[in-house]
């Protein structure tokens, strides 16, 4: 589905080969604008290494590359370069849904062919891809004589930092990404101090390592974000931190069952190890490096998936006003409640509803060791008539989002995939939210290991056969697979809104989302579930609250991108509320997006133009600090007048002291106008801009 102008320039040229003092050859490849240069080559003992320069300054110092195996000697030293080739890629491709319609993919690729100088003379290739906003490195392991598969115990990809940068990080947990970000110097990263979180049903942090994306800022103000792209049939990568030498090194999630991290038949390519490099934090969000390093769309157009806002029988359970299970006598998923929600959705321009707790098995969920064979993905509880709810939804033009909580028993889920998805197909349901709460069964596998990476992929592929889109909770990290399989529509993979309802640590602080926008969000769409209006959770939760203002909850629909955006609060919170108009109006699929400003962990403002339309929406959020923001509206088309509705923090608004203070202003604006916005502490602003009829 490569549309529009598509051209691939292949230049077979040997570039920038030069002699190192040691007599060994290095090769360099630079970004199209020449600002980023990656140099690779061999050290005196034939060790493969590379370094990176940005605007003439070293940004990654000499770093080595290689592997350890179970049944073979390590690979990475004693090498010689036997060939190399560079290619220019310059193409455009279309997102079937997304933050923008057209994506530019313009970069230079260097492939280095390597061979061991001594027996067994193993060969492999190193691929380096350099863009104007960063670079990726991956290995392509080739078939060896007499060896048709490998057992990788560790990958040794290093990133030698040049200084003690400021980092925004979560621990390298093998089972969950639902941690708060810590801002610290690299020398102060202490992932082990994040063990034993009271709210996590699964967590395992074996090393002082971080999960990716991890974002950093240098003293000079350069922004770096480390991640991976195209994580396919491989273990997830954490980055081990040497706090003294400021060295990051890959540490793969292991399997205690096989005793290795990765088993693969040869030949194969590893995921890309990526580094986004930009002057401004805002440019990290605009970067398309991660999706560009994935394979083109294999599914073609996916008209059966429509980006949508959705309501859910969901927040009730997190507030404790209803339960997932039937036996409690206070079951949430009833036919009656679902129909009430469908009616409300239909009246309010919301395209779908999610119903959790509809199927049997919830009596045996959290806290149970033996969860194999418990959940059933086809049998509703007696008070929920699935067929009738689906029929009623269709009548009202409201889609159903199915829910499959696997309780981290993936084998049980895999056994039922075909029947569960056939049932959905029969009922015309095209999206499912999946969940993986708990320790993985079998014990010894982890959510982020190769075995689970393959499970999540199998689910996506099977779902695609049934025209079903996946929104995974407790997922594997996003690595741009949505380009190849655009039914990978959204995922959690962070501390979502739910923590505000029950976490004993006070929920997500105001700095959380201004950090997430520059870290987790670089990986891909986020099902954060915004839109809580009853910020203090009165009268349900005396000890919990959402730590933002109401206006910030609205701004999140624009700032935190997902093609499925929940209006998460109870219907009563929305009924008759003037600010609900923004949720009614806001689009979920975008022609283009522009990040207008931002600093990691502090604030960010994004403007997006709806797809197939002329309306624009702007969202701006801040952390604990109140701040005034000046916004030039020059992103709007010239000569067009817009009727703007501004949803702003009230003058006395404050995330803790007065979170629901807001005001709505109507203005007429054009591209030559400039707005002054005052964001309250923990606050935000949401703006809709509709072209005035001429
Ligand atoms: C955790 C998910 O994040 C949440 O959204 C869901 O309600 C529960 N699991 C139950 O599946
Ligand atoms: Ca979760």
């Amino acid at each position: 589905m490569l549309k529009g102008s598509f051209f691939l320039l292949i230049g077979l040229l040997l570039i920038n080969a030069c002699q190192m003092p040691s007599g060994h050859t290095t090769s360099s490849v630079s970004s199209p604008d020449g600002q980023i240069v990656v140099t690779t080559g061999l050290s005196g003992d034939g060790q493969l290494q590379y370094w990176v320069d940005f605007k003439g300054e070293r940004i990654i110092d000499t770093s080595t590359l290689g592997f350890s195996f179970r049944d073979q000697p390590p690979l990475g030293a004693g090498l010689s370069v036997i060939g190399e080739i560079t290619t220019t890629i310059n193409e455009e491709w279309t997102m079937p849904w997304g933050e923008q319609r057209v994506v530019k993919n313009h970069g230079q690729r260097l492939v280095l062919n390597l061979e061991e100088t001594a027996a067994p003379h193993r060969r492999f290739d190193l691929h380096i891809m350099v863009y104007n906003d960063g670079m990726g490195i991956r290995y392509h392991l080739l078939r060896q004589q007499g060896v048709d598969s490998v057992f990788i115990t560790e990958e040794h990809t290093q990133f030698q930092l040049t200084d003690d940068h400021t980092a925004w990080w979560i621990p390298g947990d093998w089972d969950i990404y639902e941690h708060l970000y810590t801002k610290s110097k690299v020398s102060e990263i202490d992932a082990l101090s994040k063990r034993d979180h009271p709210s996590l049903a699964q967590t395992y942090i074996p090393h002082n390592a971080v999960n990716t994306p991890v974002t950093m800022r240098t003293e000079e103000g350069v922004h770096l974000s480390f991640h991976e792209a195209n994580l396919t049939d491989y273990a997830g990568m954490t980055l081990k931190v040497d706090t003294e030498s400021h060295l990051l090194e890959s540490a793969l999630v292991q399997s205690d069952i096989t005793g290795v991290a990765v088993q693969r038949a040869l030949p194969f390519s590893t995921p890309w190890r990526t580094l986004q490099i930009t002057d401004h934090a805002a440019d990290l969000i605009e970067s398309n490096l991660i999706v560009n390093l994935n394979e083109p769309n294999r599914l073609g157009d996916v008209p059966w998936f429509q980006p949508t806002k959705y309501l859910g029988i969901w927040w009730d359970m997190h507030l404790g006003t209803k339960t997932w299970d039937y036996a409690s006598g206070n079951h949430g998923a009833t036919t009656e409640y679902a129909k009430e929600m469908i009616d409300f959705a239909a009246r309010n321009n919301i395209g779908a509803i999610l119903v959790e707790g509809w199927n049997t098995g919830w009596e045996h969920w959290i806290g149970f060791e033996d969860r194999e064979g418990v959940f059933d993905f086809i049998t509703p509880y007696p008070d929920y008539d699935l067929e009738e709810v689906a029929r009623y939804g269709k009548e009202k033009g409201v889609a159903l989002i199915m829910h499959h909580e696997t309780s981290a028993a993936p084998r049980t889920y895999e056994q039922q995939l075909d029947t569960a998805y056939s049932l959905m197909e029969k009922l015309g349901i095209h999206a499912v939210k999946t969940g993986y709460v708990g320790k993985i069964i079998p014990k010894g596998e982890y959510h982020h290991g190769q075995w689970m990476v393959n499970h999540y992929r199998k689910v996506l592929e099977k779902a695609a056969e049934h025209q079903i889109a996946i929104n995974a909770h407790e997922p594997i990290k996003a690595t741009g697979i949505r380009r190849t399989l655009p039914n990978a529509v959204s995922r959690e993979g962070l501390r979502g809104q739910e923590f505000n309802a029950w976490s004993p640590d006070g929920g997500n602080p105001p700095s959380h989302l201004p950090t997430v926008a520059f870290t987790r969000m670089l990986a891909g769409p986020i099902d954060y579930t915004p839109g809580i209006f009853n910020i203090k959770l009165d009268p349900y939760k005396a000890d919990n609250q959402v730590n933002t203002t109401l206006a910030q909850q609205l701004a999140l629909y624009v700032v935190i991108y997902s093609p499925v955006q929940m209006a998460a609060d109870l219907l009563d919170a929305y009924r008759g509320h003037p600010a609900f108009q923004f949720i009614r109006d806001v689009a979920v699929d975008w022609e283009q997006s522009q990040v207008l400003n931002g600093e990691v962990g502090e604030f960010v403002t994004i403007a997006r133009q709806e797809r197939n339309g002329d309306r624009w929406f702007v969202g701006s959020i801040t952390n604990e600090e109140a701040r005034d923001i000046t916004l030039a509206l020059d992103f709007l088309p010239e000569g067009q007048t817009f009727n703007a509705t501004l949803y702003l923090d009230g003058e006395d608004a404050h995330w803790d002291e007065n979170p629901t203070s807001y005001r709505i202003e109507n203005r007429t604006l054009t591209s030559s106008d400039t707005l002054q916005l005052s964001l309250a502490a923990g606050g935000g602003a949401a703006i809709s801009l509709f072209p005035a009829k001429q």
Side-chain angles (χ1 to χ4, degrees):
M1 111 132 238
L2 293 173
K3 282 195 194 148
S5 77
F6 163 66
F7 50 102
L8 195 68
L9 289 175
I10 300 185
L12 305 182
L13 36 139
L14 272 176
I15 36 124
N16 295 353
C18 64
Q19 292 288 311
M20 283 174 92
S22 59
H24 288 268
T25 307
T26 63
S27 305
S28 294
V29 54
S30 50
S31 54
D33 67 2
Q35 303 281 30
I36 300 176
V37 182
V38 183
T39 304
T40 182
L42 304 173
S43 67
D45 59 354
Q47 169 66 53
L48 182 60
Q49 57 188 26
Y50 78 100
W51 56 87
V52 184
D53 295 308
F54 177 55
K55 295 188 170 171
E57 300 284 330
R58 189 69 27 106
I59 196 80
I60 295 294
D61 229 324
T62 309
S63 304
T64 59
L65 300 163
F67 294 93
S68 309
F69 303 100
R70 189 179 69 192
D71 308 320
Q72 292 187 43
L75 184 65
L79 297 168
S80 66
V81 176
I82 57 170
E84 64 177 85
I85 188 173
T86 42
T87 318
T88 299
I89 291 173
N90 194 351
E91 63 176 29
E92 286 182 349
W93 56 277
T94 304
M95 288 184 154
W97 46 264
E99 304 94 316
Q100 65 200 89
R101 185 189 297 275
V102 179
V103 179
K104 241 187 178 330
N105 182 12
H106 188 196
Q108 298 241 83
R109 178 193 293 235
L110 167 67
V111 176
L112 207 61
N113 312 118
L114 297 142
E115 183 179 335
E116 286 179 311
T117 50
H121 299 291
R122 289 173 296 179
R123 286 182 175 190
F124 69 99
D125 297 334
L126 186 72
H127 297 182
I128 300 178
M129 186 77 204
V130 192
Y131 293 99
N132 289 347
D133 55 9
M135 64 105 186
I137 289 187
R138 75 171 177 191
Y139 309 84
H140 182 68
L141 298 193
L142 298 163
R143 229 167 197 292
Q144 322 291 335
Q145 218 172 13
V147 183
D148 54 14
S149 57
V150 287
F151 299 88
I152 299 171
T153 51
E154 196 54 277
E155 179 186 318
H156 303 289
T157 301
Q158 296 186 339
F159 295 95
Q160 176 62 64
L161 307 177
T162 51
D163 205 348
D164 191 10
H165 306 321
T166 300
W168 289 265
W169 57 275
I170 54 170
D173 198 317
W174 290 8
D175 258 331
I176 196 95
Y177 306 110
E178 297 180 17
H179 290 272
L180 287 176
Y181 284 84
T182 301
K183 175 186 178 186
S184 79
K185 290 286 187 190
V186 169
S187 60
E188 290 159 356
I189 291 178
D190 180 11
L192 302 187
S193 69
K194 309 294 177 188
R195 283 173 166 172
D196 304 325
H197 192 282
S199 296
L200 297 177
Q202 73 269 2
T203 169
Y204 182 53
I205 307 172
H207 311 296
N208 188 27
V210 296
N211 255 315
T212 67
V214 55
T215 298
M216 298 183 188
R217 190 174 59 216
T218 71
E219 222 19 64
E220 294 72 36
V222 177
H223 291 81
L224 305 174
S225 188
F226 302 83
H227 189 43
E228 57 182 309
N230 194 355
L231 170 52
T232 298
D233 199 0
Y234 204 82
M237 178 188 72
T238 68
L239 288 172
K240 226 189 248 186
V241 183
D242 184 326
T243 51
E244 276 173 26
S245 62
H246 314 139
L247 175 72
L248 309 177
E249 183 167 330
S250 53
L252 299 176
V253 174
Q254 305 282 328
S255 162
D256 298 342
I257 293 174
T258 62
V260 297
V262 177
Q263 336 181 14
R264 275 300 287 270
L266 295 168
F268 77 94
S269 296
T270 68
W272 291 94
R273 280 59 187 94
T274 62
L275 170 55
Q276 283 152 290
I277 309 170
T278 64
D279 278 318
H280 302 290
D283 296 335
L284 287 177
I285 301 177
E286 288 192 356
S287 166
N288 288 307
L289 185 139
I290 302 295
V291 273
N292 276 334
L293 286 173
N294 275 266
E295 305 296 325
N297 186 346
R298 280 200 337 235
L299 303 183
D301 283 330
V302 285
W304 40 267
F305 169 68
Q306 294 296 328
T308 186
K309 291 168 277 192
Y310 69 101
L311 296 167
I313 302 183
W314 178 76
W315 193 234
D316 268 299
M317 280 81 103
H318 290 273
L319 290 179
T321 54
K322 298 205 186 302
T323 65
W324 283 278
D325 73 290
Y326 179 70
S328 71
N330 193 23
H331 186 214
T334 66
T335 309
E336 197 191 354
Y337 195 15
K339 284 189 171 180
E340 183 187 349
M341 216 161 254
I342 287 169
D343 287 337
F344 189 89
R347 281 198 305 272
N348 289 288
N349 192 31
I350 291 178
I353 70 158
L354 162 79
V355 180
E356 293 200 0
W358 67 276
N359 59 327
T360 59
W362 290 90
E363 283 75 12
H364 208 85
W365 182 42
I366 282 186
F368 288 84
E369 279 284 304
D370 170 23
R371 288 165 276 116
E372 202 79 274
V374 168
F375 270 110
D376 173 316
F377 305 98
I378 44 177
T379 313
Y381 281 125
D383 55 349
Y384 184 71
D385 186 339
L386 172 64
E387 298 210 357
E388 171 58 13
V389 172
R391 187 206 62 76
Y392 190 73
K394 217 161 273 166
E395 184 185 312
K396 300 279 173 175
V398 175
L400 259 190
I401 298 177
M402 181 48 93
H403 185 236
H404 292 161
E405 172 56 66
T406 68
S407 69
R411 291 179 304 200
T412 293
Y413 191 40
E414 285 187 19
Q415 276 162 15
Q416 296 185 44
L417 275 183
D418 257 322
T419 25
Y421 292 170
S422 298
L423 171 67
M424 287 175 60
E425 221 178 347
K426 189 184 107 196
L427 297 174
I429 302 174
H430 289 288
V432 56
K433 170 178 168 180
T434 56
Y436 295 83
V437 172
K439 297 291 285 176
I440 297 291
I441 305 174
K443 192 168 185 290
E445 295 295 354
Y446 300 93
H447 281 72
H448 308 155
Q450 183 188 17
W451 192 75
M452 280 303 291
V453 166
N454 289 346
H455 166 78
Y456 292 113
R457 184 63 55 87
K458 183 186 277 181
V459 167
L460 275 175
E461 284 170 350
K462 191 46 87 185
E465 287 171 22
H466 293 265
Q467 303 198 327
I468 289 169
I470 303 288
N471 170 16
H473 278 227
E474 300 77 41
I476 186 62
K477 64 177 109 174
T479 59
I481 302 298
R482 64 173 162 143
R483 178 178 177 191
T484 315
L485 297 174
N487 68 323
V489 293
S490 196
R491 75 191 72 207
E492 192 185 38
L494 86 170
R495 258 175 77 125
Q497 182 88 275
E498 61 190 25
F499 276 75
N500 292 323
W502 40 251
S503 184
D505 66 3
N508 302 335
S511 61
H512 183 54
L513 290 162
T515 308
V516 161
F518 298 96
T519 51
R520 160 68 182 85
M521 198 167 85
L522 307 184
I526 302 178
D527 189 34
Y528 185 74
T529 69
I532 299 303
F533 279 13
N534 177 9
I535 302 271
K536 292 283 185 184
L537 315 181
D538 283 338
Y540 314 113
K541 288 287 185 113
D543 299 328
N544 299 89
Q545 68 174 66
V546 173
N547 302 310
T548 75
T549 65
L550 189 144
Q552 180 174 125
Q553 288 295 308
L554 297 178
L556 296 179
Y557 287 89
V558 187
V559 171
I560 303 296
Y561 171 67
S562 173
V564 289
Q565 283 285 27
M566 192 173 208
D569 213 336
L570 306 184
L571 302 186
D572 271 348
Y574 295 141
R575 284 194 178 100
H577 201 302
F580 188 58
Q581 188 58 40
F582 184 79
I583 298 182
R584 277 190 202 106
D585 289 336
V586 69
V588 277
D589 197 18
W590 308 103
E591 182 67 30
Q592 56 169 315
S593 295
Q594 292 185 33
V595 184
L596 304 181
N597 57 39
E599 290 296 343
V600 189
E602 295 182 32
F603 66 98
V604 57
T605 308
I606 302 183
R608 304 192 197 265
Q609 181 197 354
E610 75 174 330
R611 216 181 262 209
N612 303 318
D614 305 324
R615 302 183 308 161
W616 282 79
F617 296 87
V618 178
S620 186
I621 64 173
T622 178
N623 62 0
E624 290 69 3
E625 218 174 285
R627 66 185 86 223
D628 294 329
I629 301 245
T630 304
L631 277 191
L633 300 185
D634 51 9
F635 55 85
L636 292 172
E638 256 178 69
Q640 170 75 60
T641 303
F642 284 84
N643 292 327
T645 310
L646 292 79
Y647 301 78
L648 306 166
D649 288 322
E651 266 165 34
D652 51 354
H654 181 278
W655 64 273
D656 190 24
E657 284 149 29
N658 203 1
T660 52
S661 165
Y662 74 97
R663 63 203 162 84
I664 299 177
E665 264 182 33
N666 292 302
R667 303 198 26 197
T668 305
L669 297 168
T670 69
S671 63
S672 49
D673 284 314
T674 298
L675 283 179
Q676 304 291 337
L677 300 177
S678 291
L679 310 184
I687 306 170
S688 54
L689 293 141
F690 298 175
K693 301 240 163 33
Q694 281 159 348

